Structure formats: C-alpha cells, structure tokens
C-alpha cells in the first residue's frame, strides 16, 4: 500500500482565505506531483517537482504555488481562495528508477464559498 | 497535444460478465500506458502498466492490451464482481514522465 498522505481530506472555506494543502510521502521518492480533478473530468497536472528545491508548473495553469524544501513534503498553497478553485486536488509521487509508476494520495476536496 | 478518450462514460453490467473497457489516444508517440482504478472520494491505484514496446499485461482477472499504431488500448475484466465497481482511468505517458488522462469510465457491476 502506498505511503502518501494528504491533509485535510475535506476543506470548506470562505473566499479570500489563504490555504495550504499538505502532501507527504514516506517512500523516499524524488518526484512529486499535484493534479487537479473536477467531477467527471480528466486529471490535470498543475505542479511537479523532480527533487528538493525543484518545482515546475504543469500543463494546466493554476494560481496555486508549491514548495519542495524536504524530499518527503510537497505542500500546495493558495494565497487567496476563490470559488473557481473548488475542486479535488490529488498528490502523487514516483521514483526515478520507475518514474511512470505513480502512487496517489487520497486527495483533498476543496470547496470555496 | 495528446488527447485521451474513454467511451462510454458509464457502464452497468450484471455480475459474472466479461467486459472490455476502451481507451483511444491521438498521438502514437507514447512511452507507456497505464490503467488506474479510482474509488469514490479516493485517490488512484495503478492496475496495469504497459511499456511502449509491449503489447499486453496481465494481473489476475485483468488484461490490458496496447496497439500504438492505431492509438488504442483495452482493459479486459474477466468474470466481473460487484467489488470491481469503480471508475477506471486510462493514462498515456509522454516525455518527462508526464501523464495525460482520460475522463474515465464509471463501472457498476450489479449483483
């Protein structure tokens, strides 16, 4: 079973609030990813990291930011949440030896009122 | 730009039926193709991974095939069970390990 954890599982907040979605993995994977998924739609890559101090934007433009100060931790931050940010956010990780083998967390369902 | 299509969006079958889930992609220059399972409110679990040089992979009652030239993959589920009810996503792997996902097929297996 994958050891990748996301908190919180559910978050309901008001517009304008700053939020941080947490993602941690205990597998020592160097690659980590954030995906965004709306109901019935595809997963879209919004951020990825190939190691400490390395972050890149994904294919889908996002107002969120990420940081990778430690190998195991890849938090996502929204400085000022808006209703358009309501979505499910999925974190994943993989190892360089098998980069295509992704392990996913359970996701954070974000609702911005 | 790679596009991945999964049709139909939903499928309901009686228990015990053998079934095939389809996936098509527009760019045949892929590195690999994966099938994932997603249960409601949860993350994704990788079921099968086919490298671009392979034609199929098997795991238990699941068999996935890949035809790069025609841009198609199928996931075959034998003797379906109610526990197989979930959404099945196809994802195509490109350069830099980036995945392009389809919208998924929501499968319901009726007891």
């Amino acid at each position: 079973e994958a050891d990748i954890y996301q908190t919180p599982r559910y978050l309901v907040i008001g517009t304008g609030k700053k939020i941080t979605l947490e993602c941690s993995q205990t597998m020592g994977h160097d690659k980590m990813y954030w995906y965004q998924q709306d109901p019935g739609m595809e997963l879209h890559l919004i951020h990825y990291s190939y190691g400490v101090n390395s972050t890149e934007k994904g294919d889908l433009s996002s107002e969120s930011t990420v940081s990778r100060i430690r190998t195991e931790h890849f938090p996502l931050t929204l400085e000022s949440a808006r209703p358009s940010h309501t979505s499910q956010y999925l974190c994943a990780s993989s190892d360089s030896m098998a980069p295509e083998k992704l392990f996913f967390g359970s996701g954070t369902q974000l609702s911005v009122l | 730009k790679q596009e991945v299509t999964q049709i139909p969006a939903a499928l309901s079958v009686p228990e015990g039926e053998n079934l095939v889930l389809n996936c098509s992609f527009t760019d045949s220059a892929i590195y690999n193709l994966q099938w994932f399972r997603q249960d409601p409110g949860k993350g994704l679990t990788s079921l099968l991974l086919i490298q671009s040089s392979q034609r199929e992979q098997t795991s238990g009652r699941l068999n996935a095939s890949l035809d790069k030239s025609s841009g198609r993959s199928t996931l075959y589920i034998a003797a379906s069970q109610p526990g197989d009810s979930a959404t099945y996503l196809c994802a195509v792997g490109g350069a830099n390990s980036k995945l392009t996902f389809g919208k998924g097929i929501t499968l319901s297996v009726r007891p």
Side-chain angles (χ1 to χ4, degrees):
Chain A
E1 189 163 324
D3 295 317
I4 179 165
Y5 307 99
Q6 290 186 243
T7 58
R9 287 294 312 277
Y10 304 94
L11 181 60
V12 181
I13 60 167
T15 297
K17 299 291 186 181
K18 177 181 178 179
I19 61 166
T20 296
L21 307 184
E22 301 288 348
C23 176
S24 295
Q25 50 95 5
T26 59
M27 297 173 282
H29 287 171
D30 50 349
K31 299 181 187 292
M32 296 189 75
Y33 313 83
W34 276 104
Y35 287 87
Q36 185 173 341
Q37 183 184 31
D38 293 319
M41 301 298 290
E42 309 93 328
L43 276 74
H44 289 287
L45 181 67
I46 52 175
H47 297 285
Y48 61 99
S49 167
Y50 286 165
V52 172
N53 294 325
S54 156
T55 61
E56 300 286 345
K57 289 188 179 296
D59 303 320
L60 181 68
S61 176
S62 174
E63 295 169 344
S64 59
T65 60
V66 293
S67 63
R68 189 88 183 275
I69 299 173
R70 303 197 315 266
T71 298
E72 62 271 20
H73 196 211
F74 192 40
L76 181 146
T77 297
L78 277 166
E79 290 293 332
S80 179
R82 296 205 301 271
S84 61
H85 296 139
T86 294
S87 187
Q88 174 161 250
Y89 294 84
L90 291 163
C91 181
S93 71
S94 67
D95 189 87
S96 292
M97 299 302 290
E100 66 278 7
K101 179 70 172 174
L102 265 65
F103 293 88
F104 279 84
S106 297
T108 293
Q109 180 60 53
L110 173 65
S111 296
V112 184
L113 306 178
Chain B
K1 177 186 174 185
Q2 180 73 269
E3 292 183 3
V4 179
T5 302
Q6 294 184 254
I7 296 173
L11 185 63
S12 180
V13 300
E15 182 176 3
E17 190 164 301
N18 301 325
L19 58 102
V20 174
L21 307 181
N22 294 304
C23 171
S24 62
F25 47 94
T26 55
D27 186 350
S28 61
I30 67 172
Y31 284 66
N32 54 67
L33 185 143
Q34 289 190 71
W35 283 91
F36 290 88
R37 169 179 173 144
Q38 185 175 30
D39 291 289
K42 295 189 178 181
L44 280 66
T45 300
S46 180
L47 297 174
L48 289 165
L49 167 66
I50 310 175
Q51 299 293 350
S52 61
S53 59
Q54 298 174 323
R55 296 298 298 265
E56 66 177 343
Q57 283 287 335
T58 298
S59 175
R61 293 183 294 109
L62 305 179
N63 174 276
S65 68
L66 173 63
D67 185 342
K68 277 180 50 179
S69 60
S70 66
R72 293 183 181 181
S73 175
T74 62
L75 178 67
Y76 175 82
I77 303 177
S80 58
Q81 304 170 357
D84 295 329
S85 298
T87 297
Y88 291 82
L89 295 100
C90 170
V92 172
N96 297 322
S97 307
K98 291 186 179 180
L99 296 180
T100 301
F101 284 84
K103 293 181 180 180
I105 298 173
T106 298
L107 173 66
S108 174
V109 181
R110 307 186 301 271

